[in-house]
């Protein structure tokens, strides 16, 4: 089945119709999606700033990672669940906007950035997290992450403007 | 109409008719761009407040003194709050006359005023005091009040578009 046909099929399901026609689904999921930014985006940005050596400098990177990661992942899970549900309410319209496509590409890139960090410089974190400055690889990962998240927020807002009003 | 609400209404009209009110309203890109800045600052403000509150509740950074963590995060909290206030003001100005009658907007401003006053008085006292001077109960109470007030601001903010 092609992607277009799958999205069309999804939009015709009773599940999608229920999400779309409910008065409360969109405001509630949208509100949770936006307010969870405090947890997910906030913690990610602080982590990136730690990797750049500008915040929480006196704490070891491994300690900051250990303290923030569980909450960051929980926030990410909430973002994904609410985001998928919002998408399922009107998959064809979402997919037709350029903002949605750009947002998905940037999301995957942000994920790859985390994986590459964990496989390379992040794997050796105990070797360098005592020092005053962080290695170049960590700084590059942090800047990439910050740029991608700014883009993802911007594209996310773009979707709201591009979609037909509910 | 009381004098205070007449004053608020006049202020809203002035904002709406000002050059920045006009400018944001008549531009296709300004409103969404300012909104993006508002949201990014929301992430940082919310993130710093959450970390301090999680520490006050003893859930995260348990080995760190509260005051150390709060002192380090404070500049980020204050600057992201400033960005939110300035960007929020421009968003407001473009729709100021509509906002005057918007009950969610009023609720947001009331809870925002409460949250700011609380954050810079009692909350500040609890987070920046030396560990031994404060009973841990006050840490939890302060964290819960902070969470309730800021969540209220966020929820009322979301509601502005729906009422």
């Amino acid at each position: 089945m092609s992607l277009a046909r799958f999205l069309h099929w999804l939009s015709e399901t009773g599940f999608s119709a229920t999400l779309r026609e409910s008065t409360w689904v969109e405001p509630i999921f949208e509100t949770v999606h936006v307010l969870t930014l405090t947890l997910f985006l906030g913690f990610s940005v602080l982590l990136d700033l730690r990797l750049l050596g500008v915040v929480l400098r006196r704490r070891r990177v491994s300690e900051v990672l250990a303290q923030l990661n569980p909450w960051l992942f929980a926030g990410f899970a909430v973002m994904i669940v609410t985001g998928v549900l919002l998408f399922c309410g009107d998959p064809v319209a979402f997919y037709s906007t350029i903002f949605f496509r750009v947002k998905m590409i940037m999301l995957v890139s942000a994920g790859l950035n985390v994986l590459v960090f964990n496989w390379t410089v992040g794997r050796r974190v105990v070797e360098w997290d005592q020092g005053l400055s962080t290695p170049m690889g960590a700084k590059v990962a942090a800047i990439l992450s910050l740029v991608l998240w700014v883009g993802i927020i911007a594209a996310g807002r773009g979707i709201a403007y591009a979609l037909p009003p509910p | 109409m009381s004098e205070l609400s007449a004053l608020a209404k006049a202020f809203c009209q002035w904002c709406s008719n000002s050059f920045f009110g006009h400018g944001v309203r008549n531009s296709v890109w300004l409103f969404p761009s300012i909104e993006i800045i508002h949201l990014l600052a929301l992430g940082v403000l919310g993130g710093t407040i959450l970390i301090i509150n999680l520490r006050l509740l003893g859930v995260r950074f348990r080995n760190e003194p509260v005051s150390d963590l709060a002192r380090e995060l404070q500049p980020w909290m204050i600057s992201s709050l400033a960005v939110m206030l300035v960007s929020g003001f421009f968003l407001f100005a473009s729709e100021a006359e509509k906002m005057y009658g918007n009950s969610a907007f009023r609720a947001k401003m009331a809870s925002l005023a409460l949250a700011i006053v609380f954050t810079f008085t009692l909350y500040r006292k609890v987070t920046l005091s030396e560990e031994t001077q404060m009973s841990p109960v006050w840490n939890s109470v302060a964290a819960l009040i902070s969470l309730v007030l800021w969540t209220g601001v966020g929820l009322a903010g979301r509601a502005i578009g729906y009422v």
Side-chain angles (χ1 to χ4, degrees):
Chain A
M1 204 189 301
S2 72
L3 183 59
R5 280 184 56 195
F6 168 73
L7 295 177
H8 185 73
W9 169 82
L10 181 61
S11 70
E12 306 253 280
T13 58
F15 174 61
S16 178
T18 310
L19 294 175
R20 189 164 51 241
E21 282 152 23
S22 160
T23 319
W24 293 103
V25 160
E26 199 270 336
I28 290 175
F29 289 150
E30 178 89 32
T31 299
V32 174
H33 196 68
V34 172
L35 293 187
T36 307
L37 280 179
T38 55
L39 185 58
F40 175 64
L41 180 75
F43 282 29
S44 299
V45 168
L46 288 166
L47 206 54
D48 291 335
L49 293 174
R50 175 62 191 89
L51 289 177
L52 289 171
V54 289
V55 72
L56 301 170
R57 295 176 74 155
R58 278 178 297 148
R59 281 157 196 82
R60 281 183 290 139
V61 173
S62 56
E63 167 72 0
V64 176
L65 275 165
Q67 292 296 326
L68 296 190
N69 266 348
W71 291 78
L72 205 152
F73 282 126
F76 186 66
V78 173
M79 297 298 286
I80 293 288
V81 169
T82 51
V84 167
L85 287 168
L86 288 167
F87 171 78
C88 286
D90 206 352
V92 177
F94 268 87
Y95 188 69
S96 69
T97 71
I98 181 73
F99 297 111
F100 176 77
R101 297 178 187 199
V102 170
K103 181 174 180 178
M104 290 307 111
I105 293 169
M106 287 191 290
L107 261 179
V108 173
S109 311
L112 289 175
N113 184 39
V114 173
L115 284 181
V116 170
F117 173 80
N118 285 337
W119 282 333
T120 57
V121 66
R123 186 193 286 254
R124 300 185 303 270
V125 65
V126 282
E127 294 169 21
W128 51 265
D129 72 348
Q130 303 271 25
L132 276 174
S133 84
T134 52
M136 189 49 86
K139 292 196 169 93
V140 171
I143 288 170
L144 262 177
S145 164
L146 287 171
V147 169
L148 284 167
W149 288 114
V150 170
I152 289 166
I153 300 294
R157 277 280 61 189
I159 296 172
Y161 284 95
L163 284 184
Chain B
M1 203 193 302
S2 77
E3 262 175 58
L4 196 65
S5 56
L7 197 68
K9 189 164 194 169
F11 177 69
C12 289
Q13 279 165 344
W14 175 79
C15 285
S16 184
N17 295 322
S18 64
F19 76 95
F20 46 85
H22 267 292
V24 176
R25 190 163 53 242
N26 297 329
S27 156
V28 179
W29 293 105
L30 271 179
F31 195 92
S33 307
I34 299 171
E35 236 177 345
I36 290 164
I37 295 168
H38 200 62
L39 278 179
L40 289 168
L42 166 77
V44 178
L45 176 65
T48 51
I49 289 175
L50 274 175
I51 291 179
I52 298 171
N53 283 337
L54 289 173
R55 172 61 193 91
L56 285 173
L57 292 169
V59 185
R60 295 281 95 180
F61 290 104
R62 239 176 285 196
N63 303 326
E64 311 275 348
V66 175
S67 53
D68 272 16
L69 199 63
R71 231 180 289 273
E72 260 188 273
L73 291 175
Q74 183 142 288
W76 295 88
M77 186 182 87
I78 293 176
S79 42
S80 55
L81 177 63
V83 172
M84 289 210 81
L85 291 175
V86 172
S87 58
F89 176 74
F90 284 113
L91 294 174
F92 154 78
S94 74
E95 314 187 292
E97 276 180 286
K98 221 166 43 179
M99 286 306 110
Y100 175 77
N102 187 304
S103 54
F105 179 77
R106 291 179 176 198
K108 181 176 184 178
M109 289 307 106
S111 36
L112 176 64
L114 274 177
I116 290 177
V117 168
F118 174 72
T119 302
F120 288 97
T121 54
L122 295 172
Y123 190 71
R124 190 186 170 90
K125 189 147 180 60
V126 172
T127 52
L128 296 184
S129 71
E130 293 311 316
E131 219 76 351
T132 44
Q133 295 170 353
M134 282 282 170
S135 143
V137 179
W138 290 113
N139 283 352
S140 306
V141 171
L144 291 175
I145 296 175
S146 164
L147 287 171
V148 168
L149 288 176
W150 287 112
T151 307
V153 178
L155 289 177
R158 283 293 312 159
I160 291 173
Y162 291 104
V163 298

